[in-house]
Amino acid sequence: MGKVATFLASSLIRAAQYTPFRSRGVGYAATPDQLSEADPRKRLRQGYTEFEGVDDFYRIFPELPAAFAGKDVLDYGCGYGGKTVAYARLARFAAGIEPVQTHIELSEAFRRHRGVENAEFRICTQAGIPYPDDSFDIVVSHDVIEHVDDPASALAEIHRVLRPGGIAYLAFPPYDGMLSHHLDYVSTLPGLHLLFSPETLVDAANREIDRLGLAHSRQPAPRKTWDGGRAALPTLNGLTSAQFDALSTAIFDEVQVERRPVAKYRGGFAGIVRDALLALGRVSRGVDEFATVSLHCRLRKAGADSLVPPAAETALDARAPTRSRRASLSEAN
């Protein structure tokens, strides 16, 4: 059965190469050849990509540019430092953390290249943030929470380093969302990880990496989800939106989570499928989860005086009048 499943998955991925769901090709990680480039735009391409794409994060949380003014900001999972440097241009101070030394070195190189002095980068572990309690007014994190080994510890650490009244702004995809498989290097076909087991997809992905000659490392064996409940694809922790709700409301004093539903396809057959998913999502949590591209979360730590501007305060209070409230797909759409 395993060989048959791998054959089917491989065939589906190969067929996808002739559709808009084809491989995106080059991976995002820095390569040895890149590090020797004389042109800063090539040597620091990931930093530039993040720096120039920071408006994507601001569109998720439109109050953020103003909220950064005069504040200390932590970029949790800073990648290659591009967004952190962008935040520093608006904030009093910005720090970025990553568990990968190469990322820290390239982040520092990008900071120096851009001439930014009010930012720094530190190596972290999966278990801890290398800053004292109550160090930051704002914590931001973009497409990181789905990768951490233990989301409960990660949220507890974020809460610890926030000052009273501070807010964490997190955006990440739930594991059972249709686009959450992180297999873009072989195919962007929706729902692959829900059709096949992680073991099958790893085998199929490695076959395609070899066949297509992709500049991407072969995938390791799947691992258990963060709670040990099932197998998950490599680098992903299997966190669902329901689990995130339970964890965040147990740690933070105010929680607001909105779903971003699939919104790309409008009109035609794809649009009909999209609208059907959104309609079913209103009555079925499973379909609701499948149709979710990303969770957009504001988490506030208790404090007598809020440390964020009134605009951000209003956004949180208006959308989350109770301790925890999840926006429905119709509201998010």
Side-chain angles (χ1 to χ4, degrees):
M1 183 64 183
K3 291 183 178 180
V4 173
T6 300
F7 171 78
L8 291 174
S10 296
S11 298
L12 194 57
I13 290 171
R14 291 186 184 188
Q17 306 313 310
Y18 303 96
T19 75
F21 303 114
R22 66 178 65 89
S23 163
R24 290 187 179 174
V26 179
Y28 189 65
T31 64
D33 290 343
Q34 172 192 332
L35 301 180
S36 62
E37 289 280 358
D39 183 350
R41 278 235 167 225
K42 294 180 179 178
R43 187 174 66 255
L44 304 172
R45 68 177 178 86
Q46 291 89 351
Y48 269 104
T49 297
E50 294 167 357
F51 182 81
E52 293 167 355
V54 71
D55 284 346
D56 292 340
F57 196 62
Y58 294 155
R59 277 190 283 272
I60 296 172
F61 302 111
E63 70 270 26
L64 270 187
F68 285 150
K71 300 298 185 289
D72 297 327
V73 178
L74 174 66
D75 189 0
Y76 183 84
C78 64
Y80 293 88
K83 287 192 181 77
T84 316
V85 168
Y87 302 150
R89 298 175 70 188
L90 302 173
R92 177 171 55 198
F93 169 74
I97 59 171
E98 269 285 339
V100 181
Q101 184 62 39
T102 301
H103 289 197
I104 296 299
E105 292 170 2
L106 286 172
S107 295
E108 275 292 341
F110 186 76
R111 179 193 65 77
R112 292 192 299 269
H113 176 67
R114 299 295 301 187
V116 171
E117 299 296 331
N118 63 327
E120 70 174 20
F121 298 92
R122 293 187 185 182
I123 195 78
C124 68
T125 66
Q126 286 280 356
I129 296 173
Y131 286 94
D133 296 357
D134 304 337
S135 291
F136 298 97
D137 305 311
I138 294 172
V139 175
V140 293
S141 184
H142 194 186
D143 290 343
V144 173
I145 298 300
E146 74 271 27
H147 297 294
V148 300
D149 286 347
D150 184 352
S153 295
L155 290 176
E157 277 291 279
I158 289 171
H159 183 274
R160 179 183 67 78
V161 300
L162 271 173
R163 290 175 181 144
I167 295 181
Y169 296 86
L170 316 178
F172 69 96
Y175 187 76
D176 292 331
M178 67 167 68
L179 303 179
S180 301
H181 51 60
H182 287 60
L183 295 172
D184 297 4
Y185 52 91
V186 292
S187 175
T188 59
L189 197 66
L192 279 174
H193 59 311
L194 305 178
L195 292 173
F196 301 100
S197 71
E199 294 81 5
T200 294
L201 280 181
V202 166
D203 288 344
N206 284 337
R207 288 188 181 190
E208 293 310 295
I209 288 172
D210 295 341
R211 187 182 72 86
L212 297 171
L214 298 178
H216 197 289
S217 58
R218 289 173 60 84
Q219 293 299 286
R223 63 179 189 177
K224 286 289 188 180
T225 54
W226 71 277
D227 61 350
R230 54 177 172 164
L233 287 166
T235 79
L236 299 176
N237 56 31
L239 184 67
T240 67
S241 60
Q243 291 173 329
F244 180 81
D245 276 345
L247 294 175
S248 59
T249 54
I251 295 170
F252 285 85
D253 295 86
E254 291 184 62
V255 174
Q256 180 247 318
V257 181
E258 295 177 320
R259 291 180 183 269
R260 177 197 164 196
V262 59
K264 181 178 180 181
Y265 306 107
R266 297 180 184 274
F269 178 73
I272 293 172
V273 173
R274 169 190 177 272
D275 292 342
L277 286 173
L278 296 181
L280 287 171
R282 297 187 184 101
V283 296
S284 169
R285 179 147 190 153
V287 176
D288 200 18
E289 188 90 339
F290 177 71
T292 298
V293 174
S294 183
L295 299 176
H296 301 164
C297 319
R298 294 173 176 85
L299 316 176
R300 181 158 57 187
K301 183 175 180 175
D305 298 310
S306 177
L307 298 178
V308 294
E313 183 93 8
T314 301
L316 183 64
D317 291 343
R319 300 184 189 188
T322 59
R323 178 174 172 81
S324 177
R325 174 180 179 273
R326 176 175 297 285
S328 69
L329 282 172
S330 58
E331 291 170 317
N333 192 39

